Amino acid sequence: MHRPRIKEAIVSVSPNFSLEKQGIVTPAKIFWNLGTAHLVESALANGEGQLAKDGPLVVQTGKHTGRSASDKFIVRDATTENSIHWGKTNVAMDPAHFAALKEDFIAALAAKEKLYVADLFGGSQPEYRVNVRVINELAWHNLFIRTLLVRPDADELADLVPEYTIIDLPSFRADPVRHGCRSETVIAVNFTEKLILIGGTAYAGEMKKSVFGILNYLLPEQGVMPMHCSANIGPNGDTAVFFGLSGTGKTTLSADASRTLIGDDEHGWSDTAVFNFEGGCYAKMINLSPEAEPEIFATTKRFGTVLENVVMNTETREIDFNDNSLAENSRGSYPIDFIPNASKDNLGPVPKNIIMLTADAYGVLPPIARLTPDQAMYHFLSGYTARVAGTEIGVTEPTATFSTCFGAPFMPRHPSVYGNLLKERIAKGGVTCWLVNTGWTGGKATDRGIKRMPIKATRALLNAALDGSLNDAEFRKDPNFGFEFPIAVPGVDSKILDPREAWSDKAAYDATAQKLVQAFIDNFEQFEQHVDAGVREAAPKAA
């Protein structure tokens, strides 16, 4: 098929701090700090994607449709030896291997005909932001990261000096022997050289999560709590923070038309503000509907949105969000101001409420529960959700997933560093904490006829929690987990509020609940020596 060539136009702001000053010498044509329209034109001209009917750019990421967690490494040296929590998540790379990898990345840059470079900010609160330079071989990747990070004003660009640099080359193929990695895919972080190298994957989310990792490493030393969360502000100036793993509803529940969105994924909590690390959103697209998520759905009909691995009819250019044949993890990235009620400054006051989201596929947890500060720290360190591998034949049980701090892959320091920061800030601000289950009710997700918690019920409970009216409800103590849950809330079917009562088979509920309790206890053994007695006593109780 003949593709018309679109002329590329340079409307860039070239910085005074050049690539050569970073030791990067390449004959490639450099496109500096291009805007959205020119990056979309370049992506189309390069054959990187197609425009959908209503204007978004549609791209595919190949075999990598999500993060390659097993291919991520941190250089272990004098800087990181005692500051990184080494283990299964934070895997060490030898400095010599990184040096070889860097040499080969620089050589790969020298062989490119064109490169796209963006100078950006990670973090919206000026006192705590970091300057990030991103070098891409793909125009759509440059558009993605320009959309997701905070964009400097034009007059800030010329004199912006990068503190950290990301080089992102999907065409690069790592050599496990030479580079000390696991496969041809590599994400290597060097905190001493302030350099991140990403190769062998076209999944754009690796870039944004790398910046998240940088801030998660730097901010605790400044007394700022980095968080994998969404956040919004109520009409009375009350900020709410939503922790949760992928698929639990962080993006959906924070995009509330009655509240002002601060951001959907990554934030810092300083003495004066909750501030977004980003300038855009990265939402799941699978099964997206205008009824359930109208604000997010509207972004898919905007020029400037990038849709990854969604299925599009090549003739009509219509999108089918229910088709998961390319990926279950289909994604859309868009500027935060595509959400009509987004915060102009990407920040808000310190929070009054913290919501910890879980999608409990066991059907054991109530739709909402109130947590004490000790219980909040316990559940924060646990980071629980449960998944169902619905496409696998013979799957009869959910799988419990524990990701500490609701974001273990992005937390370089020991989890107790973040947990203690959270507990201190909860106590200092008198914050009310809630556990919200967006998963299943009345049985396990694998049981016949069992459905997920109605989103209308979840929103009604959240609204009552955030406006303070839920505190006036009558609460009952959960015998397994020790937290309190309401027994009656206006507008919500009382049958789903008590999870045991929602099950027709009470004995099956009790057995399933004890199985989940034991999973919590087993998982928390790794943290027991790092927390005080109050947090240990907040653990669920085995029968």
Side-chain angles (χ1 to χ4, degrees), residues 300-320:
T300 68
K301 297 181 177 296
R302 296 280 300 268
F303 179 82
T305 292
V306 180
L307 300 177
E308 297 177 37
N309 302 314
V310 300
V311 175
M312 180 180 72
N313 184 307
T314 55
E315 295 301 321
T316 66
R317 303 298 176 94
E318 296 275 3
I319 299 295
D320 183 354

Side-chain angles (χ1 to χ4, degrees), residues 234-395:
N236 296 320
D238 57 301
T239 296
V241 164
F242 299 76
F243 289 105
L245 301 174
S246 179
T248 57
K250 284 199 322 301
T251 299
T252 300
L253 294 172
S254 60
D256 184 332
S258 67
R259 298 175 66 85
T260 300
L261 180 68
I262 300 174
D264 80 325
D265 200 29
E266 299 163 2
H267 294 79
W269 180 355
S270 71
D271 287 337
T272 58
V274 168
F275 62 95
N276 196 349
F277 287 172
E278 304 179 290
C281 300
Y282 195 34
K284 276 199 166 188
M285 293 288 112
I286 193 68
N287 299 324
L288 184 70
S289 74
E291 294 78 24
E293 299 164 282
E295 293 86 5
I296 298 173
F297 188 85
T299 70
T300 68
K301 297 181 177 296
R302 296 280 300 268
F303 179 82
T305 292
V306 180
L307 300 177
E308 297 177 37
N309 302 314
V310 300
V311 175
M312 180 180 72
N313 184 307
T314 55
E315 295 301 321
T316 66
R317 303 298 176 94
E318 296 275 3
I319 299 295
D320 183 354
F321 292 112
N322 298 314
D323 189 334
N324 66 351
S325 58
L326 290 177
E328 186 71 28
N329 188 40
S330 56
R331 293 273 179 169
S333 54
Y334 47 89
I336 194 169
D337 58 18
F338 279 18
I339 300 295
N341 56 328
S343 165
K344 181 180 177 181
D345 299 316
N346 276 7
L347 53 79
V350 295
K352 289 189 176 181
N353 287 277
I354 287 176
I355 295 93
M356 297 183 185
L357 299 167
T358 181
D360 177 28
Y362 290 95
V364 165
L365 299 181
I368 195 165
R370 188 168 57 191
L371 306 176
T372 67
D374 284 329
Q375 289 170 339
M377 185 171 175
Y378 182 92
H379 284 275
F380 178 72
L381 289 175
S382 298
Y384 165 72
T385 194
R387 306 187 190 283
V388 181
T391 58
E392 293 184 20
I393 297 173
V395 173

Side-chain angles (χ1 to χ4, degrees), residues 397-539:
E397 286 291 318
T399 302
T401 298
F402 295 94
S403 183
T404 185
C405 308
F406 293 98
F410 326 118
M411 303 295 177
R413 298 183 184 272
H414 193 278
S416 62
V417 171
Y418 308 104
N420 286 322
L421 265 173
L422 180 69
K423 188 176 179 183
E424 290 169 11
R425 293 208 166 272
I426 289 172
K428 186 176 181 180
V431 181
T432 305
C433 301
W434 307 89
L435 181 69
V436 171
N437 174 23
T438 61
W440 283 257
T441 180
K444 293 179 291 186
T446 47
D447 294 342
R448 184 182 297 274
I450 300 302
K451 296 180 179 180
R452 285 195 73 159
M453 204 73 67
I455 191 167
K456 288 184 178 180
T458 299
R459 286 201 181 277
L461 291 168
L462 273 176
N463 290 339
L466 297 181
D467 68 21
S469 62
L470 190 56
N471 285 311
D472 298 327
E474 182 180 350
F475 283 78
R476 179 180 298 161
K477 185 176 180 179
D478 185 278
N480 297 300
F481 286 85
F483 44 52
E484 297 179 322
F485 62 86
I487 60 175
V489 178
V492 179
D493 185 353
S494 296
K495 291 180 181 178
I496 69 171
L497 292 175
D498 185 333
R500 189 174 189 270
E501 290 304 311
W503 283 54
S504 58
D505 186 337
K506 304 299 188 285
Y509 171 85
D510 292 337
T512 305
Q514 279 302 302
K515 181 177 181 179
L516 183 58
V517 164
Q518 192 60 51
F520 267 87
I521 292 171
D522 293 345
N523 173 74
F524 205 79
E525 286 180 357
Q526 61 186 306
F527 304 121
E528 287 187 345
Q529 63 180 344
H530 301 285
V531 300
D532 59 31
V535 177
R536 290 194 294 271
E537 290 168 5

